[in-house]
Amino acid sequence: QVQLVQSGAEVKNPGASVKVSCQASGYTFTAYYMHWVRQAPGQGLEWMGWINPKSGRTNYVQKFQGRVTMTRDTSMSTIYMELRSLGSDDTAVYYCAREQEDDAFDIWGQGTLVTVSS
Amino acid sequence: QSVLTQPPSVSGAPGQRVTISCTGNSSNIGAGYAVHWYQHLPATAPKLLIYGNNNRPSGVPDRFSGSKSGPSASLAITGLQAEDEADYYCQSYDNSLSESRVFGGGTKLTVL
């Protein structure tokens, strides 16, 4: 079946980097844009950006530009999100999501908890 | 502060009907872009509930419906059930920020 499986929880020190993966299965990986969305404790959903798995082209929310990199490995049907210079306000659950034809997010990964703490 | 505005909370008794509003502007909903709705239960991934303003994915009960008018959209839930207690988010496209997607701040639905 169609699914997205993310990597496990991470604990990082302030100033460090984290790289979260999201492996797709059950569909043609390059046919759909992929997005990253995060939810900090007690907060709502926050869109971070997208990657086109076919071309590798990316688009990031301005607040993350310079600090985030989204990449993909087509041989592994996997996308990655690296966030650098982590601060305590980056503590959140990070989700990958597939975008269907009308830009709704129809399939979501299970989420990856990233905790930033010294 | 979210680009799309939702009420922080709504509530209703079992069997009742509730609505959740989502207000945008001329750069997103008001520009004609589609509105999508998600249901988010604790410790689970968000679930697509309504797409393209008023379409339900397979498996979503017809108790859930969406509508859109001008710069606003609404999610209606009829025959409220205890299992509907969750956070609900609207989402759309915004052309003022390069190819951006935007979410509402979320609405907590409490079933009394």
Side-chain angles (χ1 to χ4, degrees), chain B residues 31-109:
Chain B
Y33 296 112
V35 178
H36 319 296
W37 291 90
Y38 303 88
Q39 179 189 60
H40 194 194
L41 296 163
T44 68
K47 171 188 173 184
L48 180 62
L49 204 61
I50 297 288
Y51 67 94
N53 304 323
N54 55 14
N55 301 288
R56 285 185 308 276
S58 173
V60 173
D62 59 6
R63 301 186 297 105
F64 296 90
S65 63
S67 64
K68 175 187 161 188
S69 177
S72 296
S74 288
L75 172 71
I77 309 172
T78 59
L80 209 54
Q81 300 179 4
E83 68 204 50
D84 298 333
E85 186 160 296
D87 295 322
Y88 292 84
Y89 294 88
C90 59
Q91 177 246 318
S92 187
Y93 179 96
D94 192 295
N95 63 24
S96 68
L97 309 162
S98 178
E99 300 181 65
S100 280
R101 313 299 191 261
V102 288
F103 283 101
T107 298
K108 170 67 178 177
L109 168 61

Side-chain angles (χ1 to χ4, degrees), chain A residues 29-114:
Chain A
F29 175 68
T30 54
Y32 297 86
Y33 277 43
M34 294 293 294
H35 297 251
W36 289 93
V37 176
R38 76 177 187 178
Q39 183 178 38
Q43 303 299 309
L45 300 176
E46 179 179 28
W47 179 75
M48 298 180 68
W50 56 251
I51 181 168
N52 179 342
K54 184 174 184 178
S55 66
R57 182 183 168 221
T58 55
N59 181 41
Y60 309 138
V61 168
Q62 190 168 8
K63 71 176 283 187
F64 296 114
Q65 293 209 8
R67 208 161 66 89
V68 70
T69 302
M70 297 177 188
T71 56
R72 93 294 191 206
D73 181 340
T74 55
S75 68
M76 297 287 291
S77 296
T78 299
I79 62 169
Y80 303 89
M81 187 283 298
E82 181 181 33
L83 191 61
R84 299 176 291 278
S85 301
L86 292 169
S88 57
D89 57 352
D90 292 314
T91 293
V93 177
Y94 290 77
Y95 295 99
C96 60
R98 187 183 82 164
E99 177 187 314
Q100 64 181 32
E101 288 79 8
D102 61 357
D103 78 46
F105 302 152
D106 64 339
I107 307 294
W108 293 69
Q110 83 276 19
T112 297
L113 175 61
V114 175

